Amino acid sequence: MNASERRWQDLHIRSCLCASTLLALSVLLASCQRPVQPLRPPPSFDMQGPTPAPLKVREDEAQSRLLRDHETPATVEDFERYAGTTRVLFARDSAELDAAARAILDRHAQWLNLYPEVRASLQGHADEFGSREHQFALGEKRAAAMKFYLTAQGVAAERLVPTSFGKEHPARTGGDEISQNQNRRGETVLIGLPASARERGE
Amino acid sequence: MIKAVMPVTLALLATTSQAFAQGPLHVDITDGTASPLLIAIPEVASGVIPGVANGEDAGEALARIVRADMSSTGLYRLVSIDGRYSGSEEVAFAPFARAGAQALVLGRARPSGNDALAYDCVLYDVFGARIETSQRILVSKAQWRRAAHKCADMVFAFTTGDQGHFDTRLLVIGQAGSAPGQGTSLLSMDFDGENRTSLTEERELVAMPRFGPGSRRIIYTSFTGPGPKLVLDDLDSGESRTLDLPKGVPSAPRFSPDGASVIFSLARDGEADIHVIDLSSGAVRQLTSNAGADTSPSYSPDGTSIAFESDRSGEPQVYVMASDGSGQKRISFGAGAHGSPTWSPRGDLIAFTKIENRTLRIGVMKPDGSRERIITEGGRDEDPAWAISGRAIAFQRTAGGEALPAVWITDLTGKLARQVKVGSSVGEPAWSGKRP
């Protein structure tokens, strides 16, 4: 086991201890029982969306992750590279995190746990198939679900700012199901970084 | 600003305006359907008046605006007679009677001083050959279109008994990007799309604007900063103020009818509840505490009841409660989901967005939920906003295949839905009350 792997194992244990105080028992057991698999490539999840495009993890990038050290600066680019995607998707009119969404948020949590000074805005969005006001509330519910999950993975609640855009800022505008599927989303957007100019709406 | 004043000198304009809808010139309206009043609005030439109507004949341009206003309601049918009508002639009723007109509107325009326009607007009963009501309207030349809207308001009020909605403003969200949310701004314009002004910088994401009583105070949701906030602007003083609210994500603000408080939805930890803030004391009161999302509150015009949307039953439906939050009761039971309830200024109807089979359409129902009627036929029609008359509804329509929306206005039958011509994409309309 190289140094980097040991560091990941430490982190993993620490996050479990931390999480145990949060009564998120099922999540906790699942993550503690899982054999330590440092730095798998991110789960492949076809987003079909142009912004951000699904990031292809090339071999050399995966390799560079393994070689990252404490000196890697906390940047939006590094977060995106590490997480694979900043976006999770939801089912229609639902704020439940499915397995794919949880796997993505696991990586968000891992990265955030590496950089405790970084804060994140959790931005819930909704599709067009509802009233403007209801979709706004639904976006907040999705952001709240992301926050609950990330805190269960050891990210301090104060670092996470849930918010909603409702259907005001769709990723896709087609009225078809495939387009609207992309709008039922939550995004983890880093805030408080010098390099965080790449927030939504740039 | 120069207000409209009643006539003082012209004997012709002997006023009878206190009598609302007593005579035969009355439009009876049931469920938004009326047998239209036959009305003649001839173009009375005034000659060119500098600074008015962009160099056209002012009287003719104003008459065309009055015509457009009246016919947009579906309550009047325009009747025209051959030949031109000169403002200096004595009124000859016979040609109008022969053409079948019941009502005749004559407007005479002339300059008043250097900067003002005087418009004498008279409504005649053609068969009785008499003046029913009249008004001398004085406006600054820059606001010349308002003279026609005020004239139309006078005729509408006399013949229906309701306030006219022509001299009003719309507040809309302008979309400058190729998709919603890319570059939004808050725009204000006349109800017919003219005289647009921008109230916010572009690229600041803004949503859900509403007018206070009248037309000079507005509130909207702004997305500058880490979370949305509710911003209250005073359009006269230019003062802008962010409401100080408890922790959470606020949205869907709306003024109380007396303008003293703002009701809104506050979401926290996945639950959204209706709250109200007193604008002078800043005190916030929570009115609902149900599991689920309670949002989109709208007061009845007397301020005693609140319609709102809740998904506590599993899908969004419209509820009504007393203004203190007591007596919460579901009123919408038709097929599909119902959202964005908006109480008519007349108090008789609640407009809503119906969500069914992934389509959104505008409907109205009585405040007890009975007599639900869907009045628009687009696939993505939403955000109903009442005219102060209670006889028209503005809404956002996104046409099939289009990414960006437009604002439309419809009468209550839905037959006269028409787009407000703006030249760029606008949505989420709010409709002002009476302008000062």
Side-chain angles (χ1 to χ4, degrees):
Chain A
M1 185 179 281
N2 66 31
S4 144
E5 283 174 357
R6 263 199 306 281
R7 182 159 158 270
W8 273 107
Q9 200 169 30
D10 290 349
L11 187 82
H12 206 85
I13 290 161
R14 201 177 50 181
S15 84
C16 285
L17 289 173
C18 198
S20 67
T21 62
L22 288 164
L23 301 177
L25 216 48
S26 58
V27 169
L28 171 73
L29 287 174
S31 79
C32 284
Q33 283 164 357
R34 195 166 33 186
V36 178
Q37 293 180 328
L39 307 175
R40 284 173 299 136
S44 122
F45 194 58
D46 184 8
M47 305 287 291
Q48 294 176 319
T51 51
L55 293 178
K56 269 210 190 108
V57 179
R58 298 196 311 269
E59 273 307 306
D60 54 341
E61 280 184 14
Q63 194 63 26
S64 77
R65 274 197 202 137
L66 286 165
L67 298 174
R68 74 207 315 282
D69 57 34
H70 281 293
E71 307 308 314
T72 306
T75 60
V76 171
E77 290 72 16
D78 186 59
F79 174 66
E80 288 178 356
R81 191 165 51 235
Y82 184 83
T85 176
T86 59
R87 181 182 290 186
V88 296
L89 297 185
F90 294 86
R92 188 174 175 216
D93 207 15
S94 165
E96 262 175 53
L97 296 164
D98 62 12
R102 289 197 304 272
I104 292 166
L105 289 178
D106 282 340
R107 299 196 66 80
H108 293 187
Q110 286 164 9
W111 191 93
L112 287 166
N113 283 332
L114 277 178
Y115 299 100
E117 74 283 8
V118 178
R119 298 167 68 226
S121 166
L122 306 175
Q123 304 178 345
H125 297 259
D127 65 25
E128 290 175 353
F129 304 133
S131 78
R132 186 173 309 284
E133 297 86 356
H134 180 262
Q135 299 310 76
F136 195 85
L138 177 59
E140 194 276 342
K141 195 174 177 181
R142 286 173 174 163
M146 292 167 70
K147 179 179 174 179
F148 184 82
Y149 187 81
L150 289 172
T151 51
Q153 308 309 310
V155 183
E158 315 80 77
R159 297 170 59 199
L160 303 171
V161 185
T163 187
S164 176
F165 285 89
K167 58 179 181 181
E168 304 294 330
H169 207 319
R172 296 274 289 263
T173 56
D176 58 289
E177 187 57 32
I178 290 170
S179 296
Q180 292 302 320
N181 183 40
Q182 296 302 311
N183 293 333
R184 300 165 196 141
R185 69 197 196 275
E187 308 208 4
T188 302
V189 176
L190 304 185
I191 51 178
L193 278 179
S196 67
R198 294 182 55 188
E199 290 186 11
R200 287 223 57 84
E202 71 186 294
Chain B
M1 177 170 309
I2 303 161
K3 293 196 172 180
V5 290
M6 292 303 295
V8 282
T9 52
L10 288 186
L12 173 72
L13 297 176
T15 176
T16 55
S17 64
Q18 74 282 2
F20 265 152
Q22 297 301 312
L25 297 189
H26 181 56
V27 185
D28 275 314
I29 311 160
T30 311
D31 282 354
T33 307
S35 43
L37 188 70
L38 298 169
I39 193 166
I41 309 173
E43 294 179 13
V44 182
S46 67
V48 171
I49 299 175
V52 172
N54 313 315
E56 288 181 68
D57 183 289
E60 294 179 0
L62 287 162
R64 284 195 292 272
I65 297 171
V66 178
R67 278 185 189 168
D69 286 357
M70 303 313 297
S71 60
S72 72
T73 62
L75 306 179
Y76 306 88
R77 188 179 307 144
L78 292 175
V79 171
S80 55
I81 60 165
D82 291 335
R84 291 172 67 83
Y85 197 88
S86 157
S88 56
E89 288 171 38
E90 200 162 306
V91 180
F93 292 102
F96 296 105
R98 276 197 300 276
Q102 300 163 276
L104 168 65
V105 178
L106 290 183
R108 293 180 175 84
R110 59 192 162 72
S112 172
N114 283 334
D115 304 322
L117 169 74
Y119 193 51
D120 292 330
C121 171
V122 188
L123 171 66
Y124 297 90
D125 176 347
V126 171
F127 296 110
R130 63 166 188 271
I131 296 175
E132 290 286 22
T133 186
S134 67
Q135 210 174 23
R136 169 173 296 170
I137 296 157
L138 279 174
V139 294
S140 69
K141 284 182 176 173
Q143 300 197 340
W144 64 275
R145 295 181 63 90
R146 290 189 67 186
H149 293 318
K150 284 174 179 291
C151 178
D153 278 342
M154 181 196 82
V155 174
F156 184 92
F158 186 88
T159 52
T160 66
D162 294 319
Q163 277 194 85
H165 59 245
F166 309 114
D167 185 30
T168 56
R169 298 282 280 176
L170 293 177
L171 205 54
V172 298
I173 303 293
Q175 299 284 357
S178 59
Q182 290 181 348
T184 65
S185 59
L186 192 53
L187 303 176
S188 167
M189 60 196 195
D190 292 353
F191 100 105
D192 57 7
E194 298 288 332
N195 294 318
R196 286 186 295 282
T197 55
S198 183
L199 303 176
T200 58
E201 297 290 327
E202 255 178 42
R203 303 179 67 84
E204 173 189 349
L205 186 55
V206 286
M208 298 182 242
R210 303 281 177 238
F211 277 106
S215 64
R216 304 311 295 161
R217 282 196 304 163
I218 62 170
I219 189 151
Y220 56 96
T221 309
S222 165
F223 295 80
T224 52
K229 54 196 182 185
L230 303 186
V231 178
L232 195 159
D233 282 0
D234 185 314
L235 299 183
D236 286 325
S237 68
E239 187 196 337
S240 182
R241 157 187 173 202
T242 298
L243 298 188
D244 188 15
L245 301 176
K247 199 166 182 282
V249 180
S251 65
R254 202 182 282 273
F255 283 91
S256 61
D258 64 4
S261 54
V262 165
I263 194 164
F264 60 98
S265 177
L266 188 68
R268 201 163 28 190
D269 302 330
E271 303 282 339
D273 286 304
I274 310 290
H275 291 63
V276 62
I277 179 169
D278 183 298
L279 291 175
S280 51
S281 72
V284 175
R285 209 149 48 95
Q286 182 171 348
L287 298 181
T288 69
S289 53
N290 257 82
D294 297 342
T295 182
S296 198
S298 169
Y299 280 98
S300 61
D302 63 6
T304 60
S305 302
I306 296 165
F308 64 102
E309 171 186 348
S310 174
D311 65 357
R312 64 185 66 171
S313 73
E315 68 177 348
Q317 296 295 349
V318 175
Y319 290 69
V320 169
M321 64 183 172
S323 59
D324 63 358
S326 66
Q328 297 175 23
K329 187 173 152 238
R330 176 173 166 183
I331 62 161
S332 64
F333 291 95
H338 300 73
S340 305
T342 313
W343 217 305
S344 160
R346 300 179 77 247
D348 59 338
L349 293 170
I350 291 173
F352 56 86
T353 302
K354 164 94 135 190
I355 303 106
E356 195 180 18
N357 301 327
R358 304 187 181 216
T359 64
L360 284 74
R361 290 174 294 161
I362 306 296
V364 293
M365 62 173 96
K366 290 187 167 268
D368 64 3
S370 65
R371 303 188 69 175
E372 176 177 326
R373 281 194 293 133
I374 300 302
I375 61 172
T376 70
E377 290 171 342
R380 286 150 81 193
D381 295 342
E382 55 195 307
D383 304 319
W386 283 99
I388 191 172
S389 63
R391 301 297 188 192
I393 293 173
F395 62 98
Q396 169 178 315
R397 168 169 288 175
T398 310
E402 295 290 321
L404 293 170
V407 167
W408 287 59
I409 289 176
T410 181
D411 68 326
L412 296 191
T413 66
K415 289 177 187 145
L416 291 175
R418 71 194 188 286
Q419 186 176 345
V420 179
K421 298 288 182 197
V422 179
S424 60
S425 172
V426 292
E428 299 187 46
W431 203 333
S432 83
K434 215 169 174 50
R435 297 178 73 182

